[in-house]
Amino acid sequence: MRRILVAGLAVCAAWMTAASRAAQQRWKIHDRNRPQPPVVTPGECSTQDHPGKPPSDAKVLFDGKDLSQWESIRGGPAPWKVRDGYFEVAPGTGNIRTKQAFGDCQLHVEWATPSPPHGQDQDRGNSGVFLQSLYEIQVLDSYQNQTYPDGQASAVYGQYPPLVNACRPPGEWQTYDIVFHGPRFDRSGKLLRKAYVTVFHNGVLTQDHVEIMGPTEHMKRPPYHPTPEKMPLMLQDHHHPVRFRNIWIRELG
Ligand code: MG
């Protein structure tokens, strides 16, 4: 039995070596026949007074005007309030999600917590960006406001504290730039690969390609369950009037 296993592993290793050799040989170094990357016109950074511009190939999920790309998770239109280029959580109305589903992606989100601040710990400017509606990057007023580290702003909620606390004061616009690679399952629902996420908070690296343990929940770390490769992006109503603006996404191939 052991001999069969060793032989199997040897065949597998040989196949992988052949596969990686074939990939390496597909294009020679500095090969001018290699396809050129698509041209993208870069966007512009935001200031506190003005939202920036997305890159030319991004899908805009909120451009300051309406919530037409979003819906309530309870059904029907997204009930949050749109004003002066931003939208605000309408406390008690429930989470909202994109109408479109997304898989691997680069995501840009800007948010601001209430000023003057109210409450403390988790009860202060709490919302969340849920990748694929399951994996929360915490939104919280973590400026001079302590909470459990894996629940502060830019945490993978309940799993990974941010590498640093890069929070701006309440009322100021803050940015998340997120790179997400979703989990993969085979046809029988077996997990083949966990999800990974990288996060920059206000341009500072806070999550460095961390392996997400499973869906994020309060006081729980449930295992993965089979999900489609694409799922909606969701924003959390945690009963605090947190604001959002300039949200765009680039799907990764
Ligand atoms: Mg939250």
Side-chain angles (χ1 to χ4, degrees):
M1 183 59 141
R2 187 171 177 274
R3 205 176 282 174
I4 292 170
L5 183 65
V6 170
L9 286 171
V11 168
C12 187
W15 178 82
M16 285 177 70
T17 307
S20 78
R21 198 181 305 128
Q24 280 176 33
Q25 287 177 349
R26 189 169 173 207
W27 305 109
K28 296 188 178 80
I29 186 168
H30 307 322
D31 192 337
R32 289 180 185 273
N33 293 317
R34 200 168 185 167
Q36 294 286 338
V39 174
V40 171
T41 306
E44 290 171 14
C45 293
S46 297
T47 65
Q48 286 299 319
D49 296 329
H50 298 286
K53 271 191 187 167
S56 59
D57 65 344
K59 178 172 179 65
V60 176
L61 295 175
F62 179 69
D63 64 358
K65 296 186 184 116
D66 60 61
L67 285 169
S68 56
Q69 302 289 326
W70 300 79
E71 63 187 9
S72 167
I73 62 161
R74 297 173 181 173
W80 295 7
K81 300 170 209 162
V82 179
R83 294 195 202 107
D84 300 331
Y86 65 84
F87 65 89
E88 185 177 291
V89 177
T93 60
N95 299 352
I96 65 170
R97 68 183 168 211
T98 53
K99 293 176 180 171
Q100 189 176 332
F102 300 100
D104 300 355
C105 64
Q106 174 188 350
L107 173 69
H108 178 87
V109 178
E110 300 184 19
W111 52 272
T113 54
S115 176
H118 299 282
Q120 56 185 356
D121 204 307
Q122 289 287 300
D123 189 29
R124 178 153 144 167
N126 193 333
S127 182
V129 175
F130 281 72
L131 300 155
Q132 297 199 324
S133 301
L134 289 172
Y135 315 107
E136 182 183 11
I137 307 301
Q138 173 71 305
V139 168
L140 191 78
D141 178 0
S142 288
Y143 185 81
Q144 299 175 351
N145 174 44
Q146 281 211 350
T147 186
Y148 43 89
D150 63 8
Q152 72 175 70
S154 200
V156 178
Y157 186 74
Q159 300 185 10
Y160 300 101
L163 295 170
V164 294
N165 180 348
C167 222
R168 291 198 168 116
E172 290 193 16
W173 285 105
Q174 317 208 32
T175 59
Y176 277 167
D177 288 285
I178 298 170
V179 179
F180 174 73
H181 293 275
R184 295 290 188 275
F185 302 88
D186 69 11
R187 283 187 184 172
S188 71
K190 185 181 159 207
L191 179 67
L192 298 176
R193 189 192 80 187
K194 293 183 179 179
Y196 287 85
V197 72
T198 296
V199 181
F200 290 86
H201 182 187
N202 296 324
V204 179
L205 181 68
T206 50
Q207 299 289 348
D208 186 6
H209 194 62
V210 296
E211 185 184 76
I212 298 176
M213 299 171 195
T216 57
E217 290 188 19
H218 181 58
M219 300 290 288
K220 280 189 225 158
R221 284 184 182 154
Y224 281 92
H225 59 274
T227 47
E229 209 160 294
K230 295 190 177 188
M231 306 258 286
L233 173 70
M234 185 172 77
L235 299 176
Q236 184 185 41
D237 169 16
H238 202 281
H239 300 269
H240 298 162
V242 175
R243 295 174 180 177
F244 292 89
R245 73 173 188 184
N246 193 25
I247 304 178
W248 50 261
I249 194 164
R250 297 181 61 248
E251 293 194 77
L252 304 177

